[in-house]
Structures are given as C-alpha cells and as structure tokens.
Amino acid sequence: MGKSKRTQLDAEELRILDGFRLVLLSDPEDVAKCDALIVEHHKLHDASLVGEHLRYAAVYRDQWLAVATWSAAARHLKDRDAFIGWTHEQCRRRRALLANNSRLLVLPDCRSPNLVSRFMKLMLDRLSSDWQARWGHPIALVETFVDPQSYRATAYKVSGWSHLGRTAGWKRDATDFYVKHGSSKQIWVRELTRKACVKLRARDLPQEWAEVEDLTPARCTYKVGEILPLMDLVKANLKDFRRSQGLAYPMAGIVCLIVMAMATGIRLGPSDLADYADTLSEGQLRALNFRRDVHTAQRRVPKKTTFGRVLARVDPIDLESVLLRWQEQLLGPSHNPLVVVDGKKLRHGGVEIVNAVDGQGRILGSAITPDKTNEIPVARELLGRLDLGNKIVLTDALHTNEETAHQILYEQGGDFLMTVKGNQPTLQKTCEKLFEEQRFSPSADGEDPRLENRT
C-alpha cells in the first residue's frame, strides 16, 4: 500500500501560513524583482502584462514566498461571455470591470502547504478596492487560464472559482489578429460581488460601475451597406479643396467618417475623432476609400492632424447640408410643426452655438456666434435658411424683438411663440393689456373701448 497523504502541518509551516503578509507591489524595484522571478521560475517565462494591472507578493519575514499578477481580461472568451450573459457591445464597453489572474507563482524555496490558497483568498478580498485606488474603478469578476497538463487548479477550486470549459487554443498576436498555438487551457472565473453577472448584463450598470462604460471610447458600428450611400451623398455635395495627388484620405471618406462620429456622439474634436477612427475595421476603411500603407499593405487610418486640417477648411454650411440630407434619408422628412431656437455655450470650448431643432429633438440647423456679437442676429440668419411655412417658432426672451418676429411672420410665413420677461417693461405692459376684458370695436366709447355702452 502507498503512503497516506499528509494532512498535518508542522509548527514552522503553521507559523508561515499564519504569519505571512500580502504586499501590493508598487515600488519599481519590487516590480522588477517580481517580473524577474516570473521570467526565471514560471513555466511560461514571460512577465508581460496587458492593460490595467496589479502585482502582489506573499512575504514572510522579508522573504518572498509567492507572487501573482493581474491584468486586463481577455477580449473575446466564448464560455466566459456566455456565463455572464452579456451582449457583444456590453462586453466591449464593460470589460474593464473584469481582471485576469495572468500569473500565479509559488517560489521553489517555499514548501508551505496551503500557502497558495491562502494567498489567493487574501488577494481576492482586496483586489477590487486596490484596483479602485490604482485605476479608478472596481472589479466585478475575475478570470484565469490553467494548463491542465501542468497544474490541477487546486488554489482556484478551494477559493470558489468556477470551471467553465476550455479555450479554443488561439492567442492574440496583434490588433485584431490571432494565431493558433494549439494549447487549450481551462477557463476559471469567480464573481467578486454578489450577482455580478446579473449586474454586468443589465441594461444599466450600478452607479459605482457606470463610469467604466462612460469612459469607453465609442466604436464605429456602421456597416458597409450604410457607409456607401453616405459616401455618395458627400461626393455629390462637397468638393475636395486639396489636390488629389498622394491623398491617403479622400475628402468624401474623411467627411463621411466625421458625420458617422457625430451621429455616434463624438463631440470633442480631432483627438476623439482619431480615437473613433482607430475602431474601424478593414471593411469599413475600404468602404471609405482610404488607401493602403505602402510598407505594411494595411489600410491607413487618419490621425488627429488630418481631421484638424479638414475641419479647419471644410465649408460648415455644406457640411451641415450633408448631415441634414443624411438625417432625412435615415428618418424621413420631419412633419413636426415646431422649430425651437436656443443658444448654448460649449463647455471648455469658448464657443457659442445657436441650434434649431423640431419638437422631437431632430436637428434642423446650427450656427456659431462670431466674436463681438450675440446670438440674436445669428438666430435670424439660421431661421433664414429654414422653411417656416406652417411652422411655429419657439424662442426664449432673448429673441423676443420686433425684427425677429417680423422676419418669422411676414418674410417667412411662420408663426411664433416668444417669452416676455420683466426686463422688457414696455412690452410686458402691452401684453398685459391684451388680456384685459374689453369690447370688440365698434364700441360705445371710441376713446376707451373698455367702457360699457350706457343709455
């Protein structure tokens, strides 16, 4: 018969198990030491980390017993995503709430049983709060991959992790490019908070998690069949002010990309536009007619400077015309009778814009207020570009003046509803008299129609 498995710990092993401490590594020397130990002793001999990350060490009397690293979660993991139950877009926008235990190493000199499971428990107890302190958001769920030919995943089993299945045996070699490595790994996951999966797949995230989704860059989701009609529309309404020789990014493609970005919610300028462009697929870049790089043979992606040059010189009225025509193609003509005019100052931009929208919020036009003027003449210019027949124009008190009312009523055939405030006392008194009870003309008293007819 073989020897029975030893279950009792000796005194020294108990002292180590009870006395070691968990250390979050942040000092550059400690980080370098951790990476060097992984490269030397871990089976993969690789300490590189992806995205947001943390490193821990189990230390007993200044001696390192074990190290572990945590990094960004895998982008695509079929079994994990099915376990959570979220959509592809939810995964993209909320994946930062997941972390991957990329390395777990007990050093050769450590012979203390149960150390790794205790080490894991201590890390899981504080991982989310440490991540919050370092990266500004918590962690809801953790994942890891285990090679079943080398490890039994005991530390994960006793720490409450769930075994979901196996990876397909691919690894990411570059952006959106994967290679087959032929070594399928076990997938293990663990929720760090109660009902984490339910919260991750919900329509709205809990308030303490929502910032992660808000900070995720918008992605271009337009299909090639939607891009091509927009390209035809831009080509028909905009001329390229640049010479065609050597242009990597045709005008129509750049403007089409800007229009799609605006429709997606991009508002902050060339830098955000460049980030949005980085999300384009090869098919989308081809539809925009962007040329290939002669060295890499890949479609080129416009950068911040390209967007800055185009935005500085493209005619804003022509660009607005493209936007409005595309909006009408997508939504059909607007039959709403309201035209709401309002001016807004862009936060941090120092620019004031006057917008016109219909009663359903559909944009009808906009104009920038030049320096040394105000939005009143700009609003008149904007209204002049609109068809106001059978429309009612709503404005705030700033636009309550005779000239604007005359333009709407007599020049463009519309009606208006304007606000009157106390800072226009003469107009306010005139309006108040209109609501006093009075007789219709002819009256018994021509000088004062309010007087009753008496015998």
Side-chain angles (χ1 to χ4, degrees), residues 362-408:
R362 184 189 295 195
I363 187 71
L364 302 176
S366 61
I368 295 178
T369 303
D371 295 337
K372 299 181 180 179
T373 185
N374 58 59
E375 64 182 71
I376 296 176
V378 177
R380 293 182 191 137
E381 178 187 349
L382 175 58
L383 289 171
R385 305 203 300 260
L386 305 179
D387 179 8
L388 300 184
N390 298 317
K391 302 285 187 180
I392 303 174
V393 179
L394 278 63
T395 72
D396 57 23
L398 179 63
H399 300 280
T400 304
N401 59 78
E402 185 176 348
E403 188 173 347
T404 300
H406 186 280
Q407 175 182 327
I408 296 171

Side-chain angles (χ1 to χ4, degrees), residues 404-424:
T404 300
H406 186 280
Q407 175 182 327
I408 296 171
L409 188 61
Y410 295 109
E411 296 179 18
Q412 295 186 253
D415 292 306
F416 58 81
L417 183 60
M418 296 179 172
T419 303
V420 178
K421 290 186 176 180
N423 58 356
Q424 298 170 298

Side-chain angles (χ1 to χ4, degrees), residues 192-338:
L192 294 188
T193 185
R194 188 171 178 267
K195 293 186 177 180
C197 291
V198 174
K199 298 174 183 177
L200 287 170
R201 65 174 176 259
R203 186 177 70 88
D204 298 313
L205 287 174
Q207 183 177 359
E208 62 273 18
W209 296 358
E211 186 176 355
V212 167
E213 194 169 37
D214 295 339
L215 294 177
T216 304
R219 180 174 64 92
C220 182
T221 58
Y222 290 93
K223 300 185 183 301
V224 172
E226 298 170 315
I227 295 175
L228 294 178
L230 178 57
M231 284 284 287
D232 293 338
L233 186 63
V234 175
K235 291 176 182 177
N237 290 273
L238 281 178
K239 293 182 179 180
D240 200 333
F241 56 81
R242 305 166 300 167
R243 294 183 302 170
S244 59
Q245 293 88 345
L247 284 181
Y249 315 109
M251 180 74 166
I254 289 290
V255 173
C256 182
L257 179 54
I258 292 172
V259 171
M260 293 189 298
M262 294 176 65
T264 307
I266 303 300
R267 298 286 188 271
L268 300 182
S271 294
D272 281 347
L273 288 170
D275 292 339
Y276 182 79
D278 282 335
T279 70
L280 295 173
S281 67
E282 179 72 12
Q284 291 168 327
L285 293 171
R286 186 186 303 112
L288 294 171
N289 202 25
F290 292 160
R291 299 179 182 175
R292 295 183 183 274
D293 188 293
V294 294
H295 302 292
T296 65
Q298 293 183 338
R299 301 275 173 180
R300 300 181 64 178
V301 179
K303 303 301 180 185
K304 174 182 176 181
T305 52
T306 301
F307 288 110
R309 285 194 298 267
V310 172
L311 288 170
R313 297 189 59 183
V314 68
D315 188 289
I317 302 300
D318 291 343
L319 180 57
E320 180 182 89
S321 175
V322 171
L323 285 167
L324 295 177
R325 288 171 183 267
W326 187 51
Q327 177 180 250
E328 188 168 330
Q329 281 186 357
L330 296 176
L331 305 178
S334 172
H335 300 293
N336 192 278
L338 300 181

